[in-house]
Amino acid sequence: MNVLIKFAKIIAPAQKELHLKKRDILVTNGRIAKIAANITAPNKGTKEIRFSDLHVSLGWFDSGVSFGEPGHEDRETIANGLDTASISGFTDVVLNSNTYPVPDSGSDIVYVKNAGRLKGTALHPLGCLTNLSEGEHLAELFDLHQNGAVGFYDFRKPVTNANLLKIALQYAQNFNGLVYSFPLDTSIAGKGVVNEGAVSTTLGLKGIPSLAETLQITRDLSILEYTGGRLHIPTITTAAGVKLVAEAKKKGLDVSCSTTVHHLWFNDTVLSDFDTDYKVMPPLRTANDTKALIKGLKNGTIDYVTTDHTPLTIEEKRVEFDHAAYGTLGMESAFGILNQIFDLDTTITLLTKGRERYGIPLPSFATDTPANFTLFDPHTINEVGNTPLKSTSRNNAFKNQVLKGNVLGIINREHVII
């Protein structure tokens, strides 16, 4: 199929020759055939795409989403999750390892990849770091890697055994593997469910101090300095944590980290009504932490933003706060939120960076390369509550939030989803 995008403003800060230029883009059989100021459709079968205020960037990337399948299809199937990603502008997503059974073998990775292979959004699964995600014995990391796992993560479980993390970092160097370590010291966190501070005290909820994050990060970075290797710290949330990562990068350690859209937009004051949609892990922190996260993204200390999209059932959320599951939806609101926090160039840079860390091919606005685009209007104002969600779950912390911008669709893997 031929596709002709007409009069689109290209947002590509890394490609100065095209950035902010209005261009037509012709795609033939899934590859970029031509980029020019005016292109005539080559034949009657060419699908033309025209929108008012049409913008186009390279396809967006999310380094941490959860669906449910296998085992928790009532939360979200892989098929519906990838459809949700597509209409949210994401052409590549990294899938977390929180399924049942957990993906601790090569066959588990193959199953997940096959389930998503016909979709417009490409799925890149994480494998478990340890057998059954129990934290005792390393999983078959090389087998997972060989079958397509892009990293190793026991979802939201810190590596409590320091020697296990040491061995994992050493072993994974043999094939350039990426090891995750969740930033939470459980001995300090205890039975806490929200950030420890004035809000937790007022509400009478058990708190998780920021120390729980910084202690774990300090230990993990010390091990990384000793072993070498590649470490990723997902969903960092504290000002002190950002400072620790900045210091490690100055030393030349190969460490990356992410933070979430909801930690950039909300702080713990939204918990006043005990709404479980705001119960997330790590917990929402203070306004000062939020400012530090935004600054960390702007100066490059924090490598990228994730939606940490976590669909959950009504039964898992509509219970007493202490017993509710952790997590919120995020993909469908991500662009509209980030586009208010940052300028458009920064927003698109954040949404398109990160693939290289996972060995995923980088897209480009270059002829005879695979078309991997996101189409959007950055100025339309929407409200989440006025737009039906594609996700099958409804645990959405962004409900009733005003969003700036509208995703129009994606072109990727020879799919045109508009």
Side-chain angles (χ1 to χ4, degrees):
M1 173 193 272
N2 292 341
V3 179
L4 180 57
I5 303 172
K6 294 292 292 183
F7 311 120
K9 180 179 282 190
I10 296 175
I11 307 298
Q15 292 183 253
K16 299 300 183 185
E17 71 281 6
L18 290 174
H19 184 49
L20 300 180
K21 303 293 194 303
K22 276 203 171 184
R23 293 290 185 267
D24 292 357
I25 305 173
L26 177 63
V27 177
T28 303
N29 296 325
R31 303 183 75 83
I32 301 173
K34 188 177 182 180
I35 301 176
N38 187 31
I39 301 173
T40 302
N43 55 55
K44 291 183 179 180
T46 300
K47 176 182 175 67
E48 287 197 8
I49 297 175
R50 298 172 182 257
F51 288 100
S52 176
D53 203 18
L54 175 59
H55 289 60
V56 61
S57 73
L58 298 175
W60 300 346
F61 171 73
D62 193 339
S63 64
V65 303
S66 301
F67 296 144
E69 184 182 357
H72 299 292
E73 287 83 356
D74 51 342
R75 297 175 179 172
E76 189 100 86
T77 63
I78 289 173
N80 195 77
L82 291 176
D83 288 344
T84 303
S86 295
I87 68 164
S88 303
F90 295 97
T91 59
D92 292 271
V93 296
V94 172
L95 183 67
N96 286 320
S97 54
N98 58 328
T99 56
Y100 184 80
V102 292
D104 62 354
S105 71
S107 60
D108 296 321
I109 298 299
V110 170
Y111 170 85
V112 170
K113 287 179 70 69
N114 284 340
R117 64 188 176 87
L118 298 179
K119 292 296 185 178
T121 297
L123 183 150
H124 310 278
L126 293 168
C128 295
L129 182 66
T130 64
N131 289 334
L132 301 176
S133 284
E134 291 179 344
E136 295 184 9
H137 305 286
L138 283 184
E140 294 290 342
L141 303 187
F142 184 67
D143 180 53
L144 290 165
H145 171 75
Q146 287 291 90
N147 282 282
V150 296
F152 312 108
Y153 182 29
D154 292 343
F155 181 69
R156 289 187 187 154
K157 294 181 179 179
V159 185
T160 56
N161 184 329
N163 189 56
L164 189 72
L165 179 62
K166 177 180 78 73
I167 294 170
L169 286 166
Q170 291 172 328
Y171 177 64
Q173 290 178 55
N174 293 305
F175 48 90
N176 204 34
L178 182 63
V179 175
Y180 274 57
S181 182
F182 187 67
L184 184 75
D185 185 314
T186 55
S187 65
I188 295 293
K191 296 182 179 180
V193 293
V194 298
N195 181 60
E196 182 178 86
V199 172
S200 66
T201 301
T202 300
L203 299 179
L205 295 171
K206 293 184 176 67
I208 301 174
S210 59
L211 181 64
E213 178 171 293
T214 54
L215 276 179
Q216 189 75 19
I217 292 175
T218 300
R219 189 210 69 172
D220 292 349
L221 291 175
S222 295
I223 294 172
L224 179 65
E225 187 171 10
Y226 177 80
T227 61
R230 303 171 67 231
L231 179 68
H232 180 66
I233 303 171
T235 58
I236 193 171
T237 64
T238 65
V242 175
K243 184 177 179 181
L244 288 169
V245 172
E247 292 169 351
K249 289 187 172 184
K250 287 180 181 178
K251 293 179 180 179
L253 301 186
D254 193 350
V255 58
S256 57
C257 65
S258 64
T259 194
T260 79
V261 177
H262 48 267
H263 282 97
L264 299 175
W265 190 247
F266 299 113
N267 59 58
D268 58 0
T269 59
V270 299
L271 297 168
S272 58
D273 292 330
F274 296 91
D275 187 336
T276 59
D277 284 344
Y278 299 115
K279 185 180 179 183
V280 293
M281 178 56 67
L284 297 174
R285 301 291 186 178
T286 68
N288 285 336
D289 290 311
T290 297
K291 290 178 183 177
L293 296 176
I294 293 171
K295 182 179 179 181
L297 282 165
K298 288 180 176 179
N299 65 28
T301 299
I302 302 176
D303 297 272
Y304 30 86
V305 175
T306 176
T307 66
D308 199 26
H309 179 84
T310 308
L312 296 165
T313 64
I314 292 174
E315 291 78 13
E316 290 171 306
K317 274 295 190 180
R318 296 297 177 257
V319 293
E320 186 179 340
F321 196 94
D322 280 345
H323 301 296
Y326 293 100
T328 177
L329 303 180
M331 286 193 295
E332 295 177 74
S333 307
F335 174 60
I337 295 295
L338 293 174
N339 197 31
Q340 295 178 78
I341 300 172
F342 305 100
D343 61 64
L344 184 58
D345 282 10
T346 303
T347 296
I348 298 304
T349 297
L350 292 173
L351 285 169
T352 54
K353 69 187 300 193
R355 287 177 174 88
E356 61 276 15
R357 188 66 169 164
Y358 297 87
I360 301 168
L362 299 176
S364 173
F365 283 111
T367 55
D368 201 32
T369 61
N372 186 331
F373 304 144
T374 299
L375 287 71
F376 59 96
D377 163 5
H379 299 118
T380 300
I381 302 299
N382 295 295
E383 187 175 298
V384 176
N386 293 333
T387 305
L389 292 174
K390 176 65 178 175
S391 176
T392 51
S393 293
R394 293 294 177 267
N395 55 304
N396 188 12
F398 298 100
K399 56 185 179 290
N400 302 322
Q401 296 296 304
V402 172
L403 306 181
K404 180 185 177 186
N406 186 34
V407 176
L408 302 172
I410 66 168
I411 298 176
N412 188 42
R413 307 175 96 191
E414 301 189 42
H415 290 254
V416 180
I417 302 171
I418 300 295

